[in-house]
Amino acid sequence: MKNLNIGLVGYGFMGRTHANAFRSVSNFFDLPYRPILNTVCARNADRANAFAAQWGFNKAETDWRRLIENPEIDLIDIASPNDTHAEIAIAAAQAGKMVMCEKPLGRNATESEAMVKAVEAAGVPNMVWYNYRRVPAVTLAKHLIDEGRLGRIFHYRAKFLQDWTISTDLPQGGEGLWRLDVNVAGSGVTGDLLAHTIDTAMWLNGGIQEVSAVTETFIKSRKHTLTGQVEPVGIDDASLFLARFNNGSLATFEATRYARGHKALYTFEINGENASIFWDLHDLHRLQYFDHRDEGQVRGWRSLHITDRDHPYMSHWWVPGLQIGYEHTFIHQVADFLEGVGSGKASSPSFRDGLATDHVTDAVLESASSRKWITVKQ
Amino acid sequence: MKNLNIGLVGYGFMGRTHANAFRSVSNFFDLPYRPILNTVCARNADRANAFAAQWGFNKAETDWRRLIENPEIDLIDIASPNDTHAEIAIAAAQAGKMVMCEKPLGRNATESEAMVKAVEAAGVPNMVWYNYRRVPAVTLAKHLIDEGRLGRIFHYRAKFLQDWTISTDLPQGGEGLWRLDVNVAGSGVTGDLLAHTIDTAMWLNGGIQEVSAVTETFIKSRKHTLTGQVEPVGIDDASLFLARFNNGSLATFEATRYARGHKALYTFEINGENASIFWDLHDLHRLQYFDHRDEGQVRGWRSLHITDRDHPYMSHWWVPGLQIGYEHTFIHQVADFLEGVGSGKASSPSFRDGLATDHVTDAVLESASSRKWITVKQ
Amino acid sequence: MKNLNIGLVGYGFMGRTHANAFRSVSNFFDLPYRPILNTVCARNADRANAFAAQWGFNKAETDWRRLIENPEIDLIDIASPNDTHAEIAIAAAQAGKMVMCEKPLGRNATESEAMVKAVEAAGVPNMVWYNYRRVPAVTLAKHLIDEGRLGRIFHYRAKFLQDWTISTDLPQGGEGLWRLDVNVAGSGVTGDLLAHTIDTAMWLNGGIQEVSAVTETFIKSRKHTLTGQVEPVGIDDASLFLARFNNGSLATFEATRYARGHKALYTFEINGENASIFWDLHDLHRLQYFDHRDEGQVRGWRSLHITDRDHPYMSHWWVPGLQIGYEHTFIHQVADFLEGVGSGKASSPSFRDGLATDHVTDAVLESASSRKWITVKQ
Amino acid sequence: MKNLNIGLVGYGFMGRTHANAFRSVSNFFDLPYRPILNTVCARNADRANAFAAQWGFNKAETDWRRLIENPEIDLIDIASPNDTHAEIAIAAAQAGKMVMCEKPLGRNATESEAMVKAVEAAGVPNMVWYNYRRVPAVTLAKHLIDEGRLGRIFHYRAKFLQDWTISTDLPQGGEGLWRLDVNVAGSGVTGDLLAHTIDTAMWLNGGIQEVSAVTETFIKSRKHTLTGQVEPVGIDDASLFLARFNNGSLATFEATRYARGHKALYTFEINGENASIFWDLHDLHRLQYFDHRDEGQVRGWRSLHITDRDHPYMSHWWVPGLQIGYEHTFIHQVADFLEGVGSGKASSPSFRDGLATDHVTDAVLESASSRKWITVKQ
């Protein structure tokens, strides 16, 4: 097992999930590489130092360029706000570093295309943190679909519902609130929550052909933390679209931060000729599965309790019946990434996969503004 | 199709469910007999007349003996308080009438034995209204067990939880409250709710060998409606017991009217070597079924939605997906009873089945008072 | 209490639910009128006679014009296929009869407008059988919304999922299958399932401003029962749309008969600034309610078990904890209609309300064909 | 923050959960002490070394006495089989080490009493790993009860259901299977699963006065891994009891490894005059709460999603809506223990609390063998 030195950029919510994943993965998985928490980078030196101490990084930096220049560091992991992704990722790739990048890849497909070009030109391993693929229940859904159990697919429906921005008192921008600042985030829920639903959907059900979308900004202006002024809100608070997949199935997608009562209710359902699957992030350790080929009298939705040793990833954890949580998806993603680096077989979602999602979110935003059906760039 | 004239005694909650069953059954089932609402009997003439008008009985009486003397009447249905069951049933049987009796059969096994003797001596069709056997989901559970799908049985657990008597202001006795008067009811929840759980359990899992029980009266005295005095409460508010069935399985049973938050939460679960079943009256149109022989990765509890045409009784109702409710169990019971009368093959639960339940409830009360394990009379 | 003579046209699934409602309502509700099952009409004399015998109609007819000519009959109830609604309703209104009509009102808004004109010109009481408004849980949702508990509404989402037409072997047209014949039905799921979701939505959340829709016919040709030939399928198998309500809230609607695992899964959710509501036809006796104003630590979705005496309609039924089923919604509708006739205050949904739904379904079909956002005629 | 050197005995399932807790706690909690993984001890040197490498212990030992002799080590953590608990704990206490011990404390109350005596005589911080108290939902239940929200308590019911020993092919004893060997384990499910339910119950609802129990060994003999012979099974496969708490409430408890379909279904419910609470380990991030004082029409069981910042422990983890899992309970326990060490205020469950549970399990086993109600030693 070789050491693999990590340079982490960002120390917020995502910085913590990534740091935890790199720090824990070797306790649970036997891998060709052991991640070493080499350096964490944040603009504010005090925060960077505190984060380094809390998580056991060897050192802290305030300029991400120093990480890229550091020959010790093998992998640059980007967990900073969206407006920094492209520049850092491209520089890291050009320096020959492996690159992992928090989602969405860029603020739009134009940025993402440049990032894809950079990592592919450099030939470096790369990955986007669409972590929900690694919920064991979601991975199992993928297996069941790939085995052909569902038959012809008729319908897909996904939603990602939150309610944390309903208050008019919430400011935009600044620490912890950059997701409300369109210049930093690129868009609102479209690039944030909706992007997650799209990544999973295309992984499970293939490419999306065309979309008809509507977006809304319910609170039109908010105080901006950085300027102290009340300013127009540039992000979308809600984003909904109809879609037709390449395989002919029809879909509804919805993301919002205005669904009172839901903190992070990401759900998807897929209906095939023979079987259907439903999953829900609020009970992420379960998968609902209906198989029409079951004997009639005892046919019903099965609540699969995804804690058994033959379920994806679960043999690495505890004993059957005992659930894991949210952060484990990041640990799984690191495990798969390192396996891929070891075997030379890239693991997904790659930057190219991340770009495909950005093509859809761009089409969604264009449809919402033009009020037309938009064909997605494939 | 021949007419079958009904004489109903009682006009309360159970009088309504029985009247509705007799009145509706021919709309949904093709049967050898069509029930005719001949006469309803209640002590109070005004109420009897009002009930007759509401439900379309040909006439009303205030003395149940007049029903038994009436040669037109084929079947006496007893829906009056528990202390009247034995006398009416015995007289009806001796007069050669068919007899249906609300549960529990008698206030104790001694009364019930006399009732069994009477109907068996007279050779008249007889039935006790343990209606929950005819919830389609419960009937399906019976079928699945009879097909041997569960294998060796290890565990049975049942509970029937209500919360309607928690208030100390509730009086005992009188209109609608005779269930709190031990002289009328015979016991508290033991003969009321617990008896239901026992009837179902023995139907599904065979005889009970021995029990260890505890009962409690949480509110020790209440105003008695009839006397106007505060009097000691003679009924049990809660009744719990451990049991060993004849087949070696172990069980817990619990009934109470002091489980805040539950109106009529009757649930049972049975665990076999190969499969398990769970049912819940609050969602009576569902049956939970787990089959260990399912393929490992997709093994899970199945939520059977009991609304399909191949589910028991459901081809008589609407279309798949549309649920029926509580009162339908009574309609099914009448349908089965009339089928049995037509075919000459008695349908259960007979008075003898009702007696078997009373042997268990008697053992429960004896165990609670002696603090010993009691062997149930078989 | 006066008698009110019913002439029922149609003897299928809906004929049964209506007959049952008229026959049972007086047992449970004290009303100014008692429905009398005067005449049932069906094209086939044998079926008409059998239906009359089963349900206790005084007589049967094979031509609906005879019902309208019959001065005894007070109310014409239309439960026959969609292509007959307009002609019968208009004739009945012109003859001065009260008219109740199964939904959708017409096959399209043009037919419906003529029907509205007829009943309003005649001044006769009229109603469309959008029965789901009378599920007690749905009625409670209406009350909670009308009390202002939700605050500003942000989102509405509804779906109605079935799976009964997935098989390619299923023919179109003929007995029990006219819903697959576009000439008879007018449309597929749009006028069938989707119309239900629209009626409820506009009742709860007001008018719909504009829609963007997509429809699909997954099975393109089926054998036609009447011709014996394989013919193109004219109906839509699935119909999905985005909507903006007049109050500014955004919505997704979906109806399909290709959602494997769902028999009649009609659900809706409404998210307001302060509270949210969710309901599901597969567990129709429950309402999910979230109130953000609840104390933080114990704030959560409440599963309201709609069986208490203070819940809409439930004081007429059994005791708390015991659920009712599907057919009760029709009984409630008759009760409200008769109350309205007695008081002279029309109860909804009137024919005019039914027309409003048809304006939306027409807009949905137009949007699906034009691939444009369509403004709904108000 | 001072370092606190850990000596861990045991490397099995519990060794892993403890090691993970000590290793991770400082990443999420700011504490007066930082645990250092000093030494792990296991009888087999290879396994000990492998475990040390996997988890980052400084070194490995094969004799636990070496840990106790090591002056560097501050805390001895016992995660080895039950038959080793007493000897190690007593020696550790006598050497002045802090002691944490996996549950049950001893194989019986006699062993446990000696352990309590040792830690109390030495005055060393001590704790038993009844980890389920630290599920945030369970901790919240404790807070709600302590605030008096439930009022007078009428009922408590708990069960812990598994199905992993149903196969007759499963041997007893040896690696991973010592829980089936009565000499090592002390008892079967009584000291294993049932002990968990008792610890929680007494924490939430106070002491247990008396019990009536029944146990069963369904598979009477199994091959013993160590001897290679088929030998009688000495443990109980199932253990059920009725109880009366000191506060007058009645209870049922059940633990079994023969409940097909359940991997680790630990549930408890408590019914008070004003409110009720239900919890379920299979969905450990939820708490069901019913408050009778809620307004009638919208009164119902609330599904509390225990992921908000104002829920116990949750401000240390991710963002609202994102669940944690099983192993976090151990992290919380270490955090509380270290807080207690820092503040000098012992945190529970102490060895004395563990002894109280053993008094109940001893009474359960005595009741099952004597078939009598047994008063629990307080």
Side-chain angles (χ1 to χ4, degrees):
Chain A
M1 186 167 48
K2 287 177 263 182
N3 288 342
L4 190 121
N5 280 272
I6 308 296
L8 168 66
V9 185
Y11 64 96
F13 170 28
M14 281 304 118
R16 293 176 77 226
T17 60
H18 296 197
N20 183 64
F22 289 122
R23 188 176 186 279
S24 302
V25 69
S26 306
N27 300 148
F28 299 98
F29 290 80
D30 291 321
L31 296 166
Y33 293 92
R34 174 193 294 271
I36 302 297
L37 299 182
N38 188 295
T39 311
V40 63
C41 170
R43 278 172 266 203
N44 176 302
D46 287 347
R47 291 181 184 269
N49 286 322
F51 192 91
Q54 183 103 26
W55 288 95
F57 280 83
N58 298 342
K59 63 173 180 288
E61 293 281 1
T62 57
D63 182 350
W64 56 265
R65 288 174 187 81
R66 304 289 295 274
L67 275 62
I68 289 176
E69 292 159 6
N70 182 348
E72 261 178 41
I73 289 181
D74 303 299
L75 184 155
I76 297 292
D77 178 38
I78 306 169
S80 43
N82 299 353
D83 59 339
T84 67
H85 290 188
E87 188 180 10
I88 301 174
I90 292 168
Q94 287 169 347
K97 309 293 192 194
M98 305 177 196
V99 195
M100 296 182 79
C101 183
E102 187 47 44
K103 49 65 53 184
L105 189 53
R107 280 173 297 182
N108 50 57
T110 307
E111 283 191 353
S112 300
E113 264 166 24
M115 295 165 81
V116 169
K117 198 170 297 182
V119 294
E120 294 189 350
V124 293
N126 57 89
M127 197 182 233
V128 190
W129 289 93
Y130 280 110
N131 63 301
Y132 293 120
R133 294 189 182 195
R134 263 78 182 193
V135 175
V138 177
T139 307
L140 178 58
K142 171 69 169 164
H143 294 175
L144 298 175
I145 292 166
D146 286 353
E147 288 164 22
R149 294 187 190 226
L150 274 61
R152 179 180 173 192
I153 305 300
F154 297 120
H155 291 289
Y156 194 96
R157 62 190 72 84
K159 56 181 191 284
F160 204 139
L161 309 182
Q162 299 188 333
D163 68 357
W164 65 282
T165 65
I166 292 180
S167 168
T168 54
D169 297 339
L170 197 71
Q172 58 175 312
E175 183 68 23
L177 291 172
W178 60 262
R179 282 180 180 79
L180 279 76
D181 181 340
V182 72
N183 294 322
V184 179
S187 67
V189 296
T190 303
D192 181 12
L193 309 181
L194 198 65
H196 271 302
T197 68
I198 294 165
D199 174 73
T200 313
M202 293 202 296
W203 189 49
L204 297 178
N205 198 36
I208 291 174
Q209 191 179 89
E210 56 174 0
V211 302
S212 172
V214 62
T215 60
E216 182 58 275
T217 303
F218 291 113
I219 311 281
K220 306 292 187 196
S221 58
R222 293 179 180 277
K223 189 171 159 184
H224 200 297
T225 306
L226 302 182
T227 65
Q229 304 299 312
V230 173
E231 297 186 8
V233 172
I235 61 158
D236 46 291
D237 290 335
S239 184
L240 298 74
F241 72 98
L242 300 176
R244 190 184 301 273
F245 281 80
N246 293 337
N247 68 9
S249 55
L250 295 183
T252 59
F253 287 83
E254 178 180 6
T256 182
R257 295 179 186 139
Y258 285 71
R260 185 57 85 193
H262 302 299
K263 296 303 173 198
L265 188 72
Y266 171 21
T267 75
F268 66 77
E269 177 165 345
I270 180 165
N271 301 130
E273 186 173 356
N274 300 320
S276 289
I277 284 173
F278 175 84
W279 176 79
D280 163 0
L281 175 57
H282 276 190
D283 296 292
L284 66 82
H285 58 299
R286 294 188 179 273
L287 188 70
Q288 308 297 325
Y289 177 68
F290 179 92
D291 196 321
H292 186 65
R293 290 156 300 196
D294 281 346
E295 181 191 356
Q297 279 204 105
V298 293
R299 190 189 290 142
W301 281 85
R302 302 178 184 192
S303 179
L304 309 183
H305 192 201
I306 308 300
T307 66
D308 268 341
R309 296 201 183 286
D310 57 356
H311 288 136
Y313 302 107
M314 291 309 296
S315 64
H316 295 273
W317 296 103
W318 312 108
V319 301
L322 300 178
Q323 78 196 52
I324 59 170
Y326 167 73
E327 76 260 31
H328 301 72
T329 60
F330 294 87
I331 298 174
H332 300 161
Q333 186 143 357
V334 170
D336 287 346
F337 180 82
L338 296 179
E339 277 293 353
V341 172
S343 68
K345 189 154 164 276
S347 47
S348 76
S350 67
F351 274 28
R352 186 159 285 280
D353 296 321
L355 170 61
T357 289
D358 293 347
H359 283 316
V360 180
T361 51
D362 276 13
V364 163
L365 294 172
E366 184 185 344
S367 172
S369 106
S370 68
R371 295 170 55 88
K372 290 189 176 154
W373 280 87
I374 300 295
T375 300
V376 176
K377 187 170 171 193
Q378 300 287 322
Chain B
M1 186 164 48
K2 287 176 264 182
N3 288 343
L4 189 121
N5 280 272
I6 308 295
L8 168 66
V9 185
Y11 64 97
F13 171 28
M14 282 303 119
R16 293 175 78 226
T17 60
H18 296 199
N20 182 65
F22 288 121
R23 189 176 185 279
S24 302
V25 69
S26 306
N27 299 147
F28 298 98
F29 290 81
D30 291 320
L31 296 166
Y33 294 92
R34 175 193 293 270
I36 303 298
L37 300 182
N38 188 298
T39 311
V40 62
C41 170
R43 278 173 267 203
N44 177 302
D46 286 348
R47 290 180 186 270
N49 286 322
F51 193 90
Q54 183 103 27
W55 288 95
F57 280 82
N58 299 341
K59 62 173 179 290
E61 292 281 1
T62 56
D63 182 350
W64 56 264
R65 287 174 188 82
R66 303 289 294 273
L67 275 62
I68 289 177
E69 291 159 6
N70 182 348
E72 263 178 42
I73 290 181
D74 302 300
L75 184 155
I76 297 292
D77 178 38
I78 306 169
S80 45
N82 298 353
D83 59 339
T84 67
H85 291 188
E87 189 180 9
I88 301 174
I90 291 168
Q94 287 169 348
K97 308 293 192 193
M98 306 179 197
V99 196
M100 296 183 78
C101 184
E102 187 47 44
K103 49 66 55 184
L105 189 54
R107 279 174 298 182
N108 50 57
T110 307
E111 284 191 352
S112 299
E113 266 166 24
M115 296 165 80
V116 169
K117 199 169 296 181
V119 294
E120 295 189 349
V124 293
N126 57 90
M127 197 184 232
V128 190
W129 288 93
Y130 281 109
N131 64 301
Y132 293 121
R133 294 189 182 194
R134 263 80 182 191
V135 175
V138 177
T139 307
L140 178 59
K142 171 70 170 164
H143 294 175
L144 298 175
I145 292 167
D146 286 354
E147 288 165 21
R149 294 186 189 226
L150 273 62
R152 180 181 173 191
I153 305 300
F154 297 121
H155 290 289
Y156 194 96
R157 62 189 73 83
K159 56 182 192 285
F160 203 140
L161 309 182
Q162 298 188 333
D163 68 357
W164 64 284
T165 65
I166 291 181
S167 168
T168 53
D169 297 338
L170 196 71
Q172 58 176 311
E175 183 67 23
L177 292 171
W178 60 263
R179 283 181 180 79
L180 278 76
D181 181 339
V182 72
N183 294 321
V184 179
S187 66
V189 295
T190 303
D192 181 13
L193 309 180
L194 198 65
H196 271 303
T197 69
I198 294 165
D199 175 71
T200 312
M202 293 201 297
W203 190 49
L204 298 177
N205 197 37
I208 291 174
Q209 190 179 87
E210 54 174 2
V211 301
S212 172
V214 61
T215 59
E216 182 59 275
T217 304
F218 291 114
I219 311 282
K220 306 292 187 194
S221 58
R222 292 181 181 278
K223 188 169 158 186
H224 201 296
T225 305
L226 302 183
T227 66
Q229 305 298 312
V230 173
E231 296 185 10
V233 172
I235 61 157
D236 46 290
D237 289 335
S239 183
L240 299 73
F241 72 98
L242 301 176
R244 190 184 301 272
F245 281 80
N246 293 338
N247 67 8
S249 56
L250 295 182
T252 59
F253 286 83
E254 178 180 5
T256 182
R257 294 181 187 137
Y258 284 72
R260 184 58 82 195
H262 302 300
K263 296 303 173 199
L265 188 72
Y266 171 21
T267 75
F268 66 78
E269 177 166 344
I270 179 164
N271 302 129
E273 186 173 356
N274 301 320
S276 289
I277 285 173
F278 174 84
W279 177 79
D280 163 0
L281 175 56
H282 277 190
D283 296 292
L284 65 81
H285 57 299
R286 293 188 178 274
L287 187 71
Q288 308 297 324
Y289 177 68
F290 180 93
D291 195 322
H292 187 65
R293 289 156 301 196
D294 281 346
E295 182 191 355
Q297 279 204 106
V298 292
R299 189 189 291 143
W301 281 85
R302 301 178 184 190
S303 179
L304 309 183
H305 192 203
I306 308 300
T307 65
D308 268 341
R309 296 202 184 285
D310 56 357
H311 289 136
Y313 302 107
M314 292 309 295
S315 64
H316 295 272
W317 298 102
W318 313 107
V319 302
L322 301 179
Q323 76 196 52
I324 58 169
Y326 168 73
E327 76 260 31
H328 301 72
T329 60
F330 294 86
I331 299 173
H332 300 160
Q333 186 143 356
V334 170
D336 288 347
F337 180 82
L338 295 179
E339 277 293 353
V341 172
S343 68
K345 191 155 162 276
S347 48
S348 75
S350 66
F351 275 27
R352 186 160 285 281
D353 296 321
L355 170 61
T357 288
D358 292 347
H359 283 317
V360 180
T361 50
D362 276 13
V364 163
L365 294 172
E366 184 185 344
S367 172
S369 106
S370 68
R371 294 170 55 87
K372 291 188 176 154
W373 281 86
I374 300 295
T375 300
V376 176
K377 189 170 170 192
Q378 300 287 324
Chain C
M1 186 164 48
K2 288 177 262 183
N3 287 342
L4 189 121
N5 281 272
I6 308 296
L8 168 66
V9 184
Y11 65 97
F13 171 29
M14 282 303 118
R16 294 175 78 227
T17 60
H18 296 197
N20 183 64
F22 289 121
R23 188 176 185 278
S24 302
V25 69
S26 306
N27 300 147
F28 298 98
F29 289 80
D30 290 321
L31 297 165
Y33 293 92
R34 175 192 294 270
I36 303 297
L37 300 182
N38 187 297
T39 311
V40 62
C41 169
R43 278 172 268 203
N44 177 303
D46 287 348
R47 290 181 185 269
N49 286 321
F51 192 91
Q54 183 102 26
W55 288 94
F57 281 82
N58 298 341
K59 63 173 179 289
E61 292 282 1
T62 56
D63 182 350
W64 57 264
R65 288 173 187 82
R66 304 288 294 275
L67 277 62
I68 290 176
E69 292 160 6
N70 183 348
E72 262 177 41
I73 290 181
D74 303 299
L75 184 155
I76 296 292
D77 178 38
I78 306 169
S80 44
N82 299 353
D83 59 339
T84 66
H85 290 188
E87 188 180 10
I88 301 173
I90 292 167
Q94 288 170 346
K97 308 293 191 193
M98 305 180 197
V99 195
M100 296 182 78
C101 184
E102 187 46 45
K103 47 69 53 185
L105 189 53
R107 279 174 299 182
N108 51 56
T110 307
E111 284 191 352
S112 300
E113 266 166 23
M115 296 166 80
V116 169
K117 199 169 297 182
V119 295
E120 295 189 348
V124 293
N126 56 90
M127 196 183 232
V128 190
W129 288 92
Y130 281 109
N131 63 301
Y132 293 120
R133 295 189 181 194
R134 263 78 183 193
V135 175
V138 177
T139 307
L140 178 58
K142 172 68 170 164
H143 294 175
L144 298 175
I145 292 166
D146 286 353
E147 288 164 21
R149 294 186 190 226
L150 272 63
R152 179 180 172 189
I153 304 300
F154 297 121
H155 290 289
Y156 194 95
R157 62 190 72 84
K159 55 181 191 285
F160 203 139
L161 309 182
Q162 299 189 333
D163 68 358
W164 66 282
T165 65
I166 292 181
S167 168
T168 53
D169 297 339
L170 196 71
Q172 58 175 311
E175 182 69 22
L177 292 171
W178 60 262
R179 283 181 179 79
L180 279 76
D181 182 339
V182 72
N183 294 322
V184 180
S187 66
V189 296
T190 303
D192 181 11
L193 309 180
L194 199 64
H196 272 302
T197 68
I198 295 165
D199 174 72
T200 313
M202 294 202 296
W203 190 50
L204 298 179
N205 198 37
I208 291 174
Q209 189 179 90
E210 54 174 1
V211 302
S212 171
V214 61
T215 60
E216 182 59 274
T217 303
F218 291 114
I219 311 282
K220 306 291 188 196
S221 59
R222 293 180 180 278
K223 190 170 158 184
H224 201 297
T225 305
L226 301 183
T227 65
Q229 304 299 314
V230 173
E231 297 185 9
V233 172
I235 60 158
D236 47 291
D237 290 335
S239 184
L240 298 72
F241 72 98
L242 301 175
R244 191 184 301 272
F245 281 80
N246 293 337
N247 67 9
S249 56
L250 295 183
T252 59
F253 286 83
E254 178 180 7
T256 181
R257 295 182 185 137
Y258 284 72
R260 186 56 84 193
H262 303 298
K263 297 302 173 197
L265 188 72
Y266 171 20
T267 74
F268 66 78
E269 177 166 344
I270 180 165
N271 302 130
E273 186 172 356
N274 300 320
S276 288
I277 285 173
F278 175 84
W279 176 79
D280 163 1
L281 175 57
H282 276 192
D283 296 291
L284 65 82
H285 57 299
R286 294 188 179 273
L287 188 71
Q288 308 297 325
Y289 178 68
F290 179 92
D291 196 322
H292 187 64
R293 290 156 301 195
D294 281 345
E295 180 192 357
Q297 279 204 104
V298 293
R299 189 189 291 141
W301 282 85
R302 301 178 183 191
S303 179
L304 310 183
H305 191 202
I306 309 299
T307 66
D308 269 341
R309 295 202 185 284
D310 56 357
H311 288 136
Y313 301 107
M314 292 309 295
S315 64
H316 295 272
W317 297 102
W318 313 108
V319 301
L322 300 178
Q323 77 195 54
I324 59 170
Y326 167 72
E327 76 260 30
H328 302 71
T329 60
F330 294 86
I331 299 174
H332 300 161
Q333 186 142 359
V334 170
D336 287 347
F337 181 81
L338 296 179
E339 277 292 354
V341 172
S343 69
K345 190 154 164 278
S347 48
S348 75
S350 66
F351 274 28
R352 186 160 284 282
D353 297 320
L355 170 61
T357 288
D358 292 346
H359 283 317
V360 180
T361 51
D362 275 13
V364 163
L365 294 172
E366 184 185 344
S367 172
S369 106
S370 68
R371 294 169 56 86
K372 292 187 175 155
W373 280 86
I374 300 295
T375 300
V376 176
K377 188 170 171 193
Q378 301 287 323
Chain D
M1 186 165 49
K2 287 177 263 182
N3 287 344
L4 189 122
N5 280 273
I6 308 296
L8 168 65
V9 185
Y11 64 97
F13 171 28
M14 282 303 119
R16 293 176 77 226
T17 60
H18 296 197
N20 183 65
F22 289 122
R23 188 176 185 278
S24 302
V25 69
S26 306
N27 300 148
F28 298 97
F29 290 81
D30 291 321
L31 297 165
Y33 294 92
R34 174 193 293 271
I36 303 298
L37 299 183
N38 188 297
T39 312
V40 62
C41 170
R43 277 172 269 203
N44 177 301
D46 287 348
R47 290 180 185 270
N49 286 322
F51 191 92
Q54 184 102 27
W55 287 96
F57 280 82
N58 298 341
K59 62 172 179 288
E61 293 281 1
T62 57
D63 182 350
W64 55 265
R65 289 173 187 83
R66 302 290 293 276
L67 276 63
I68 289 177
E69 292 160 4
N70 183 348
E72 263 178 41
I73 290 180
D74 302 300
L75 183 156
I76 296 293
D77 177 38
I78 306 168
S80 44
N82 299 353
D83 59 338
T84 66
H85 290 188
E87 188 180 9
I88 302 174
I90 292 168
Q94 287 170 347
K97 309 293 193 195
M98 305 177 196
V99 196
M100 296 182 80
C101 184
E102 187 48 43
K103 49 67 53 185
L105 188 54
R107 280 173 297 182
N108 50 57
T110 307
E111 284 191 353
S112 299
E113 266 166 22
M115 297 166 80
V116 170
K117 199 170 296 182
V119 295
E120 294 190 349
V124 293
N126 57 89
M127 196 183 233
V128 190
W129 288 93
Y130 280 110
N131 63 301
Y132 293 121
R133 294 189 182 194
R134 263 80 182 192
V135 175
V138 177
T139 307
L140 177 59
K142 171 70 170 163
H143 294 175
L144 298 176
I145 292 166
D146 286 355
E147 288 165 20
R149 294 185 190 228
L150 274 61
R152 179 181 172 191
I153 304 300
F154 298 121
H155 289 289
Y156 194 95
R157 61 190 74 83
K159 56 181 192 285
F160 203 140
L161 308 182
Q162 299 188 332
D163 68 357
W164 65 283
T165 65
I166 292 180
S167 168
T168 54
D169 297 340
L170 196 70
Q172 59 175 309
E175 184 67 23
L177 292 171
W178 60 263
R179 282 180 179 79
L180 279 76
D181 182 339
V182 71
N183 293 321
V184 179
S187 67
V189 295
T190 304
D192 181 12
L193 310 180
L194 198 65
H196 271 302
T197 68
I198 294 165
D199 174 72
T200 313
M202 294 202 296
W203 189 49
L204 298 178
N205 198 35
I208 291 174
Q209 189 179 91
E210 56 174 0
V211 301
S212 172
V214 61
T215 61
E216 182 59 274
T217 303
F218 291 113
I219 311 282
K220 307 291 187 194
S221 58
R222 292 180 180 277
K223 189 170 159 185
H224 201 298
T225 305
L226 302 182
T227 65
Q229 304 299 312
V230 173
E231 297 186 10
V233 172
I235 60 157
D236 46 289
D237 289 336
S239 183
L240 299 72
F241 71 98
L242 301 175
R244 191 185 300 272
F245 281 79
N246 293 336
N247 66 9
S249 57
L250 294 182
T252 59
F253 286 83
E254 178 179 5
T256 182
R257 295 180 186 137
Y258 284 71
R260 185 57 85 195
H262 303 299
K263 296 303 172 198
L265 188 72
Y266 171 20
T267 74
F268 67 78
E269 177 166 346
I270 180 165
N271 302 129
E273 186 173 354
N274 300 320
S276 289
I277 285 173
F278 174 84
W279 177 78
D280 162 1
L281 175 56
H282 276 192
D283 295 292
L284 64 82
H285 57 299
R286 293 188 179 274
L287 188 70
Q288 308 297 324
Y289 177 68
F290 179 93
D291 195 322
H292 187 64
R293 290 156 300 195
D294 282 345
E295 179 191 358
Q297 278 205 105
V298 293
R299 189 189 290 143
W301 281 85
R302 302 178 183 191
S303 179
L304 310 183
H305 192 202
I306 309 299
T307 66
D308 268 340
R309 295 202 184 285
D310 57 357
H311 288 137
Y313 302 107
M314 292 309 295
S315 64
H316 295 272
W317 297 102
W318 313 108
V319 301
L322 301 178
Q323 77 195 53
I324 59 170
Y326 168 73
E327 76 260 30
H328 302 71
T329 61
F330 294 87
I331 299 173
H332 300 162
Q333 186 143 358
V334 170
D336 287 346
F337 181 82
L338 296 179
E339 278 293 352
V341 172
S343 68
K345 190 154 162 277
S347 48
S348 76
S350 66
F351 274 27
R352 186 158 284 282
D353 296 321
L355 170 60
T357 288
D358 292 347
H359 282 318
V360 180
T361 51
D362 275 14
V364 163
L365 294 172
E366 184 184 344
S367 172
S369 105
S370 69
R371 295 170 56 87
K372 291 187 176 155
W373 281 86
I374 300 295
T375 300
V376 176
K377 189 169 169 191
Q378 300 287 324

